[in-house]
Amino acid sequence: FTLMLLRVPVGMAMGLVGVCGYSYIVGSGPALKLIGQTSMRTVTDYTFGVIPMFMLMGAFVSVSGVSRELFRAANAFIGHLRGGLGVATVLACGGFAAICGSSVATAATFSSVAYPEMRRFGYPQSFSTGVIAAGGTLGAMLPPSTVLAVYAILTQQDIGKLFMAGIVPGLLAMLMYVLTIFIIVKVRPDWLPRGESTSWAQRFAGLKDVWAPLLLFVFVIGGLYGGFFTPTEAGGVGATGAFLLGVLRGKLDRAKTLEALLSATRTAAAVFTVLIGALIFGYFLTITQVPQKLTGFLTEMGLGRYEVLALIMVMYLILGCLMDAMAMIILTVPIIFPVIVQLGFDPIWFGIIIVMTVELGLIHPPVGMNVFVIKSVVPDVSFTTIFKGVIPFILTDLLRLVILIAFPVIALWLPAQMA
C-alpha cells in the first residue's frame, strides 16, 4: 500500500514486495527463478487465455458502434416515458456490459452516447451522469466478466459456473435500477421530462441493428452453459464472432480492426502485469502463512460468520474508493478467500457478493472510478453533481447486497443447473 501511495503501479508494487519478501526468507536464487517461472506460466497458461479473448470480443463490439445501436433501440421503445431515457440507458448499459465485460469501458462509452441525448431533452446533469455511472457497474457482473474470470482463476473455481452465477444478480441489478428511476419519477414527476415518441415501425427498425450482437451473446453463453465450450473456447468463439459480425455488417474496416486489436492488447497486458505481480505476492503470503494466521485471528475473535463477512465488505467499500476493481480483487482475494472457506460460505456465491461490493466502490464517494471516467468524458459536470445523482443507485445497490446475502439461491440456482 505504501508503494501504491507512491504511485508505483499495482502489479509492480505487489511483485516487488513479493520478490523481496520471498528472497529474504528463501534466498535470492529461488526468488529470481520465481519471477521467470511465474511470468512464463501465466502468459502461456490455457486457462488464462479466457482474459484476452473476452477482452478482444469486447473491443471488436465497442469499436463497431454497438453501444449506440443498443441505446437507440431501447430509447425507441421507452424513451417517450418520463425518465424513459434513463431506463433506456440502463438497459443499453446492461446489453453492452454483457458483451464488453468492463465497467469502466461501459461508463466511458455511454458518457459519450447517452449523456448528450439526455441533456438534449432537458434531463438534469446529476441524474444523467448518475444513471450512467450506475449502469456502468453492470459490466463486472454480467458475463463475460473479466473480474469474475480473474476471481475464478485466483480461487481455482469453475469460470463457467461463476459466469452463470452472475446472470440473475446482473438482471436483478438492471431491474432494481429501472425501479429506482420510476420511484424518482413518482416522487418528483416534473423533474424528468419525456423524450420523443416513435412509431412501431421505427421501434422494430431499431431492433434490426441489435439482433446480431445479442445473438452472439446468447450463442457464447448458451454454449458455455450447455457444456459445448470451455470458457477459453467461448472467448475465442466470441472474439471471432464479434469480428465476423463487424465485418459483415460493414462496421469494421482495417483501421477499426487495428484499433480494437491494440486496445485489447494494452488492456490484457495491464491485467497480466497485475496478475503476475499478485501471484508472486501470493507465494510470499503462502510461505509466511498470512492467510492461515488471519483466518485463525478472525475465528478466535468470537464473531459470527456474517459479522466477519460484514467486516470484509466494509473493507472492500473503503478500498473501492481508492483502487481499481481488478486490483482490489487480485490484491485481497488470496488473503481473504481462506477465511471465507473456513467460515463455510459458498465460493461461487462469495465471488458474486465480492464483485458486487467492489463495483459499488466504483461509484461510492469520495472517489469512485466510474465517476472519474465520466468526469473525464464530460468535463463540464462537477464531481459533486455526479455523486448527487448516483446516491439513489448506491442505496439500491446496498439493498441488492442485503437481498443476495439473505437469499444465496439467487446466485447459485443457475450454476446448479449446468450440465
Side-chain angles (χ1 to χ4, degrees):
F1 281 114
T2 303
L3 286 173
M4 282 189 276
L5 287 171
L6 294 172
R7 306 296 292 272
V8 176
V10 177
M12 299 297 180
M14 287 192 288
L16 187 61
V17 171
V19 168
C20 291
Y22 199 86
S23 175
Y24 177 75
I25 295 170
V26 180
S28 58
L32 292 174
K33 283 182 184 176
L34 184 68
I35 299 172
Q37 289 170 353
T38 305
S39 303
M40 184 58 69
R41 191 165 59 246
T42 303
V43 297
T44 57
D45 192 301
Y46 176 78
T47 308
F48 286 119
V50 69
I51 296 171
M53 286 298 99
F54 277 125
M55 284 180 171
L56 185 57
M57 174 182 168
F60 280 137
V61 167
S62 185
V63 300
S64 298
V66 169
S67 56
R68 197 171 297 278
E69 293 168 355
L70 285 167
F71 179 73
R72 198 180 297 130
N75 184 33
F77 276 88
I78 52 176
H80 62 283
L81 302 173
R82 286 199 182 276
L85 282 176
V87 175
T89 301
V90 169
L91 297 180
C93 280
F96 185 73
I99 307 168
C100 171
S102 167
S103 296
V104 172
T106 305
T109 302
F110 282 89
S111 295
S112 56
V113 171
Y115 179 78
E117 198 71 9
M118 284 193 273
R119 291 297 292 151
R120 185 165 72 88
F121 284 98
Y123 277 70
Q125 281 188 328
S126 59
F127 175 85
S128 303
T129 51
V131 77
I132 292 169
T137 63
L138 298 168
M141 186 58 64
L142 290 165
S145 163
T146 310
V147 178
L148 280 176
V150 169
Y151 171 87
I153 291 165
L154 290 174
T155 58
Q156 299 182 331
Q157 298 300 309
D158 188 306
I159 296 177
K161 286 189 174 180
L162 266 162
F163 279 177
M164 291 302 115
I167 291 177
V168 177
L171 294 174
L172 177 65
M174 289 173 66
L175 175 63
M176 291 182 73
Y177 285 161
V178 169
L179 290 174
T180 302
I181 293 169
F182 286 145
I183 290 169
I184 291 170
V185 170
K186 193 77 174 172
V187 174
R188 301 181 67 179
D190 298 326
W191 197 48
L192 301 180
R194 298 178 186 273
E196 287 178 344
S197 186
T198 54
S199 66
W200 281 102
Q202 289 172 306
R203 292 173 186 179
F204 286 117
L207 290 178
K208 290 179 184 176
D209 294 328
V210 300
W211 69 267
L214 293 180
L215 181 65
L216 174 66
F217 168 74
V218 171
F219 179 66
V220 170
I221 298 303
L224 201 56
Y225 180 79
F228 298 107
F229 310 139
T230 65
T232 306
E233 289 166 353
V237 168
T240 305
F243 172 71
L244 291 175
L245 284 175
V247 171
L248 292 173
R249 294 166 70 227
K251 304 289 185 180
L252 271 181
D253 55 19
R254 186 174 178 179
K256 285 187 175 179
T257 302
L258 183 61
E259 181 188 339
L261 289 168
L262 285 171
S263 171
T265 303
R266 286 193 190 100
T267 312
V271 171
F272 274 108
T273 302
V274 179
L275 255 179
I276 291 165
L279 291 170
I280 293 171
F281 185 60
Y283 284 117
F284 172 52
L285 291 177
T286 301
I287 60 171
T288 53
Q289 295 190 319
V290 169
Q292 294 88 330
K293 289 172 182 174
L294 179 64
T295 302
F297 172 72
L298 289 174
T299 50
E300 287 167 12
M301 284 176 69
L303 297 173
R305 64 183 197 143
Y306 285 101
E307 290 170 315
V308 174
L309 179 66
L311 283 176
I312 291 170
M313 289 169 68
V314 168
M315 177 198 76
Y316 275 108
L317 283 175
I318 295 168
L319 283 178
C321 298
L322 308 169
M323 295 173 66
D324 171 63
M326 184 72 73
M328 266 190 285
I329 292 287
I330 292 173
L331 179 62
T332 58
V333 163
I335 305 171
I336 296 299
F337 187 69
V339 179
I340 292 301
V341 173
Q342 181 73 25
L343 292 171
F345 288 114
D346 186 286
I348 299 288
W349 169 83
F350 178 70
I352 300 302
I353 290 293
I354 222 61
V355 167
M356 281 176 58
T357 310
V358 163
E359 290 302 299
L360 178 56
L362 290 180
I363 58 174
H364 197 281
V367 185
M369 187 68 71
N370 278 13
V371 173
F372 269 85
V373 168
I374 292 169
K375 172 68 175 172
S376 68
V377 178
V378 192
D380 61 314
V381 184
S382 68
F383 283 116
T384 307
T385 301
I386 303 174
F387 280 125
K388 196 183 295 180
V390 92
I391 284 171
F393 300 100
I394 291 175
L395 297 175
T396 302
D397 278 344
L398 290 171
L399 176 60
R400 180 162 50 102
L401 266 173
V402 172
I403 291 171
L404 261 292
I405 292 169
F407 303 101
V409 68
I410 295 172
L412 297 177
W413 179 80
L414 205 52
Q417 312 305 309
M418 283 184 71

